[in-house]
Amino acid sequence: MTKILAADKDPVAPTAGEVAQGQAVTIGADDEAWEVLRTMSTHKVRRLPVVDGHTLVGMVAQADVARVLPDPAVGGLA
């Protein structure tokens, strides 16, 4: 949205596809917490959409992972 506002464009007009950056990174609904941690670290993201097949079933955030993994593992999220 910052780019849209900086270009003095109407923030209501663009579609999600027009403002998206790069390839979407998702995780599967059955993925283990360790896989979520690895994916977040690899792609340097703090939130991931959770999909079951092609259906969005939720979002997982860095804080969600921190609650279920031991402290030393979570340190790798920084």
Side-chain angles (χ1 to χ4, degrees), residues 24-29 47-60:
V25 178
T26 64
I27 55 161
R47 289 169 205 84
L48 289 170
V50 180
V51 294
D52 187 5
H54 294 288
T55 304
L56 177 67
V57 294
M59 293 287 291
V60 65

Side-chain angles (χ1 to χ4, degrees), residues 6-39:
D8 201 29
K9 295 183 179 179
D10 180 6
V12 178
T15 64
E18 292 171 328
V19 297
Q21 297 178 356
Q23 186 74 13
V25 178
T26 64
I27 55 161
D30 295 330
D31 288 352
E32 298 285 334
W34 295 104
E35 180 65 17
V36 176
L37 174 68
R38 187 193 66 73
T39 303

